[in-house]
Short mmCIF file of all heavy atoms in Angstrom, two decimals:
data_model
loop_
_atom_site.label_atom_id
_atom_site.label_comp_id
_atom_site.label_asym_id
_atom_site.label_seq_id
_atom_site.Cartn_x
_atom_site.Cartn_y
_atom_site.Cartn_z
N PRO A 40 8.35 22.79 9.28
CA PRO A 40 8.86 22.00 8.17
C PRO A 40 9.82 20.89 8.59
O PRO A 40 9.81 19.80 8.02
CB PRO A 40 9.53 23.01 7.25
CG PRO A 40 9.59 24.28 7.99
CD PRO A 40 8.64 24.20 9.13
N GLU A 41 10.63 21.12 9.60
CA GLU A 41 11.57 20.07 10.04
C GLU A 41 10.81 18.87 10.60
O GLU A 41 11.20 17.72 10.38
CB GLU A 41 12.57 20.62 11.06
CG GLU A 41 13.54 21.63 10.48
CD GLU A 41 14.43 21.06 9.37
OE1 GLU A 41 14.73 19.86 9.37
OE2 GLU A 41 14.82 21.85 8.49
N ALA A 42 9.71 19.12 11.33
CA ALA A 42 8.89 18.02 11.84
C ALA A 42 8.24 17.26 10.70
O ALA A 42 8.15 16.02 10.72
CB ALA A 42 7.83 18.56 12.80
N MET A 43 7.80 17.99 9.67
CA MET A 43 7.20 17.34 8.50
C MET A 43 8.21 16.46 7.78
O MET A 43 7.91 15.32 7.40
CB MET A 43 6.66 18.40 7.54
CG MET A 43 5.52 19.20 8.07
SD MET A 43 5.03 20.44 6.84
CE MET A 43 4.15 21.59 7.86
N LEU A 44 9.41 16.99 7.58
CA LEU A 44 10.45 16.22 6.90
C LEU A 44 10.82 14.98 7.70
O LEU A 44 10.95 13.88 7.14
CB LEU A 44 11.69 17.10 6.68
CG LEU A 44 11.53 18.20 5.65
CD1 LEU A 44 12.68 19.18 5.76
CD2 LEU A 44 11.45 17.63 4.25
N ALA A 45 10.98 15.12 9.00
CA ALA A 45 11.32 13.97 9.85
C ALA A 45 10.23 12.91 9.80
O ALA A 45 10.51 11.71 9.69
CB ALA A 45 11.56 14.44 11.29
N ALA A 46 8.97 13.35 9.88
CA ALA A 46 7.86 12.39 9.83
C ALA A 46 7.78 11.70 8.48
O ALA A 46 7.52 10.50 8.41
CB ALA A 46 6.55 13.10 10.15
N ALA A 47 8.01 12.44 7.41
CA ALA A 47 7.97 11.85 6.07
C ALA A 47 9.04 10.79 5.90
O ALA A 47 8.79 9.71 5.36
CB ALA A 47 8.13 12.94 5.01
N HIS A 48 10.23 11.09 6.38
CA HIS A 48 11.32 10.12 6.27
C HIS A 48 11.07 8.90 7.17
O HIS A 48 11.29 7.77 6.75
CB HIS A 48 12.66 10.78 6.60
CG HIS A 48 13.07 11.81 5.60
ND1 HIS A 48 13.30 11.54 4.27
CD2 HIS A 48 13.26 13.13 5.74
CE1 HIS A 48 13.63 12.64 3.64
NE2 HIS A 48 13.60 13.64 4.50
N ALA A 49 10.60 9.14 8.39
CA ALA A 49 10.34 8.04 9.32
C ALA A 49 9.24 7.11 8.81
O ALA A 49 9.32 5.89 8.97
CB ALA A 49 9.96 8.59 10.70
N ALA A 50 8.23 7.69 8.18
CA ALA A 50 7.10 6.89 7.67
C ALA A 50 7.40 6.28 6.31
O ALA A 50 6.61 5.50 5.81
CB ALA A 50 5.86 7.77 7.58
N ARG A 51 8.55 6.66 5.73
CA ARG A 51 8.87 6.25 4.36
C ARG A 51 7.68 6.55 3.46
O ARG A 51 7.19 5.70 2.71
CB ARG A 51 9.24 4.79 4.30
CG ARG A 51 10.50 4.50 5.06
CD ARG A 51 10.92 3.09 4.96
NE ARG A 51 12.15 2.93 5.74
CZ ARG A 51 12.97 1.95 5.58
NH1 ARG A 51 12.74 1.02 4.68
NH2 ARG A 51 14.05 1.87 6.32
N ALA A 52 7.22 7.80 3.58
CA ALA A 52 6.00 8.23 2.89
C ALA A 52 6.16 8.17 1.38
O ALA A 52 7.18 8.56 0.83
CB ALA A 52 5.64 9.64 3.33
N SER A 53 5.12 7.66 0.74
CA SER A 53 5.04 7.66 -0.73
C SER A 53 4.61 9.04 -1.21
O SER A 53 4.93 9.43 -2.32
CB SER A 53 4.03 6.62 -1.21
OG SER A 53 4.32 5.35 -0.70
#
Side-chain angles (χ1 to χ4, degrees):
E41 292 298 331
M43 294 178 200
L44 290 167
H48 293 299
R51 296 183 180 200
S53 305

